[in-house]
């Protein structure tokens, strides 16, 4: 059995709780509450009911027969997290954490967001539960993601623009943590990926592992077997951890696709595993992109959901132990994969998910026709249409 996290919240040397002293008690309270509720059948039933009745689970498993035939190799199956309410896997976690917050007697949530995807999921969950929701967002991101900012406001959330640093996700996260330190009595901090101090990476994993559990069972029903490979894109790493978890103890090969942006030999990338070094970010020991003085280097990717300068500590461990292979995929490779899937399958994926598709397509070509690749299609591309139009029709980069 896979033993992580251990009792102090570590995955090998990674993870832990690198936070101000004042946050140690709130983190312990969350851990205690979650440990109790995790095995409580009533909590579990409530969570499952929300996912099924509100978000539309179980999500489909689609055999991408036309693109598989076109590539001439392995069979490609897509786990359709894009079909969730709000358009991605993020809602699985937002609903789970808000239910946890409610059980803990909290009435207000704080969230950080980069592109706005997690902010929208958190605002959605807060509206459904009648919670007050404050979303911290870098002012740079507020400017370039105006649609999602307005969407959060329509859902009743307050969006706080953060002006410190570069005005992006890392600054929004720092500000959310600062605010939480002052307001942890009645506020619950709803983190959007498998990042942050323990127990967050663990809690988010537990709320996302339904992706892999469902897919494994669905594939067993149609193919009677396990996939040969599972591929997922990695930002903070929640959809990847969610789909990998069910296969960690199997022989299945696991591949994470991180964003190489303009190329990992340029300054414009978000390839944390390929180019990162050990350090502490947002309360957790992991790999991050930093300069020689320990200052975070602003990451870049055409997909707003992948440009986080760190990576979840469990991924750092899975990389170091060799259980998961991490590959980098450029903007151009992701866009090509997005176009191929759209044209052959009638599915417009999120640019984030297209990073996983690019790797899967490349590998499928060299595999036998009886082999199977399972891809986590983490989200739908509707949110990216404006970016795509600018890049493909006008030759403009909107994101930087
Ligand atoms: C946020 C997001 C991601 C990246 O987050 P992870 O925690 O790495 O899963 C990937 N895909 C979509 C569609 C997203 O919205």
């Amino acid at each position: 059995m896979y033993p992580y996290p251990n009792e102090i919240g570590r995955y090998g040397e990674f993870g832990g709780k690198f936070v101000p002293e004042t946050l140690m008690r709130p983190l312990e309270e969350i851990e205690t509450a979650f440990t109790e509720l995790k095995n409580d059948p009533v909590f579990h039933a409530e969570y499952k009911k929300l996912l099924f009745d509100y978000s539309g689970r179980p999500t489909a498993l689609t055999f991408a027969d036309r693109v598989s035939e076109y590539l001439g190799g392995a069979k490609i199956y897509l786990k359709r997290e894009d079909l969730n309410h709000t358009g991605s896997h993020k809602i699985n976690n937002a609903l789970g954490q808000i239910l946890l917050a409610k059980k803990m007697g909290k009435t207000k949530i704080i969230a950080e967001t980069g592109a706005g995807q997690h902010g929208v999921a958190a605002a959605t969950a807060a509206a459904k539960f009648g919670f007050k929701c404050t979303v911290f967002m870098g002012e740079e991101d507020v400017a370039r993601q105006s649609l999602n900012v307005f969407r959060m406001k329509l859902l009743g959330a307050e969006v706080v623009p953060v002006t410190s640093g570069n005005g992006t996700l890392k600054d929004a996260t720092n500000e959310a943590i600062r605010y939480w330190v002052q307001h942890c009595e009645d506020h619950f901090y709803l983190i959007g990926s498998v990042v942050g101090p323990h127990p967050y990476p663990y809690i988010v994993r537990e709320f996302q592992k339904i992706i892999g559990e469902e897919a494994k069972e669905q594939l067993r029903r149609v193919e009677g077997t396990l996939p040969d490979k599972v591929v997922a894109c990695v930002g903070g790493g929640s959809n990847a951890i969610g789909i990998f978890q069910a296969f960690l103890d199997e022989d299945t090969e696991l591949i994470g696709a991180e964003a190489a942006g303009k190329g990992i030999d340029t300054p414009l990338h978000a390839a944390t595993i390929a180019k990162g070094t050990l350090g502490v970010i947002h309360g957790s020991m992991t790999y991050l992109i930093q300069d020689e003085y320990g200052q975070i280097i602003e990451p870049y990717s055409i997909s707003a959901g992948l440009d986080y300068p760190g990576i979840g500590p469990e991924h750092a461990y899975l990389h170091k132990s060799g259980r998961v292979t991490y590959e980098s995929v450029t903007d151009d490779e992701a866009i090509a994969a997005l176009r191929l899937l759209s044209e052959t399958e009638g599915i417009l994926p999120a640019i984030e998910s297209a990073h996983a598709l690019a790797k899967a397509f490349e590998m499928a070509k060299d595999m036998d026709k009886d082999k199977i690749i399972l891809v986590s299609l983490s989200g739908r591309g509707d949110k990216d249409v404006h970016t795509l139009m600018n890049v493909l029709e006008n030759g403009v980069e909107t994101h930087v």
Side-chain angles (χ1 to χ4, degrees):
M1 262 303 279
Y2 180 71
Y4 294 113
N6 66 16
E7 68 285 353
I8 55 163
R10 293 290 189 123
Y11 305 80
E13 68 194 288
F14 308 102
K17 293 182 210 182
F18 296 84
V19 294
E21 216 176 322
T22 41
L23 283 183
M24 290 307 265
R25 200 174 56 87
L27 286 174
E28 252 157 52
E29 284 169 6
I30 294 171
E31 189 176 350
T32 305
F34 182 70
T35 308
E36 268 170 32
L37 289 169
K38 190 171 122 46
N39 299 315
D40 176 356
V42 177
F43 179 80
H44 206 68
E46 242 178 293
Y47 173 57
K48 278 276 171 81
K49 187 167 161 49
L50 263 175
L51 289 181
F52 279 57
D53 300 352
Y54 185 64
S55 189
R57 299 204 76 89
T59 56
L61 180 75
T62 303
F63 175 35
D65 57 336
R66 295 227 319 130
V67 80
S68 303
E69 193 180 326
Y70 172 84
L71 295 167
K75 292 184 191 175
I76 296 169
Y77 277 87
L78 309 171
K79 181 56 176 163
R80 302 287 307 280
E81 293 302 298
D82 59 315
L83 297 177
N84 272 304
H85 180 43
T86 70
S88 81
H89 67 292
K90 288 206 170 69
I91 195 80
N92 303 332
N93 168 56
L95 290 172
Q97 282 194 53
I98 201 145
L99 200 56
L100 174 62
K102 185 180 150 193
K103 300 282 182 193
M104 292 178 69
K106 311 286 181 191
T107 54
K108 298 170 184 162
I109 60 162
I110 308 161
E112 82 294 334
T113 199
Q117 293 301 105
H118 172 57
V120 168
T124 300
K128 179 69 183 153
F129 278 71
F131 273 42
K132 181 171 173 286
C133 176
T134 309
V135 181
F136 293 88
M137 190 169 184
E139 65 171 356
E140 194 60 40
D141 288 332
V142 169
R144 60 190 183 188
Q145 305 287 340
S146 56
L147 264 182
N148 269 343
V149 173
F150 190 59
R151 197 169 288 158
M152 286 182 263
K153 288 181 180 165
L154 284 175
L155 291 161
E158 185 195 352
V159 179
V160 179
V162 174
T163 53
S164 58
N166 298 330
T168 58
L169 177 60
K170 75 168 165 51
D171 311 301
T173 308
N174 288 336
E175 199 54 41
I177 293 173
R178 262 196 290 274
Y179 186 90
W180 190 39
V181 169
Q182 291 158 1
H183 299 88
C184 55
E185 273 314 309
D186 56 348
H187 283 70
F188 184 93
Y189 182 17
L190 207 163
I191 294 187
S193 189
V194 283
V195 300
H198 180 67
Y200 279 102
Y202 169 56
I203 290 177
V204 178
R205 175 185 94 191
E206 294 302 299
F207 287 136
Q208 291 293 3
K209 71 179 187 189
I210 192 163
I211 304 173
E213 286 171 354
E214 275 180 14
K216 192 178 190 181
E217 175 57 23
Q218 287 165 318
L219 194 65
R220 200 188 55 75
R221 278 206 302 270
V222 286
E223 291 280 353
T225 182
L226 291 165
D228 296 282
K229 298 179 197 260
V230 178
V231 192
C233 66
V234 180
S238 67
N239 86 92
I241 284 288
I243 198 161
F244 290 166
Q245 206 61 213
F247 302 97
L248 277 179
D249 289 332
E250 311 285 359
D251 282 338
T252 305
E253 206 181 309
L254 307 174
I255 299 107
E258 53 179 11
K262 300 289 183 203
I264 56 171
D265 296 323
T266 75
L268 296 175
H269 65 77
T272 318
I273 293 282
K275 305 294 272 192
T277 49
L278 191 65
V280 170
I281 183 169
H282 302 138
S284 181
M285 175 76 75
T286 186
Y287 295 116
L288 58 136
I289 318 177
Q290 57 188 331
D291 66 16
E292 65 207 279
Y293 306 107
Q295 296 296 310
I296 287 163
I297 299 172
E298 197 63 33
Y300 162 83
S301 164
I302 187 174
S303 69
L306 298 185
D307 67 356
Y308 181 63
I311 186 166
E314 190 164 6
H315 284 292
Y317 168 76
L318 291 169
H319 163 67
K320 193 162 183 194
S321 71
R323 178 63 188 93
V324 178
T325 309
Y326 294 83
E327 310 258 12
S328 342
V329 174
T330 64
D331 289 357
D332 290 347
E333 291 166 337
I335 297 294
L338 176 144
R339 301 194 78 174
L340 182 59
L341 191 79
S342 302
E343 288 167 18
T344 53
E345 297 289 340
I347 298 170
L348 174 58
I351 305 179
E352 289 84 357
S353 322
H355 286 69
L357 290 167
K359 245 324 131 195
F361 292 170
E362 184 191 309
M363 294 184 307
K365 287 183 192 162
D366 300 327
M367 291 165 70
D368 291 339
K369 287 190 175 178
D370 60 344
K371 299 289 184 201
I372 297 169
I373 304 182
L374 170 65
V375 184
S376 174
L377 201 79
S378 56
R380 67 178 84 127
D382 305 40
K383 68 181 176 62
D384 296 320
V385 169
H386 192 70
T387 302
L388 292 165
M389 196 167 78
N390 273 316
V391 172
L392 296 174
E393 304 221 313
N394 308 328
V396 182
E397 287 293 350
T398 52
H399 188 57
V400 279

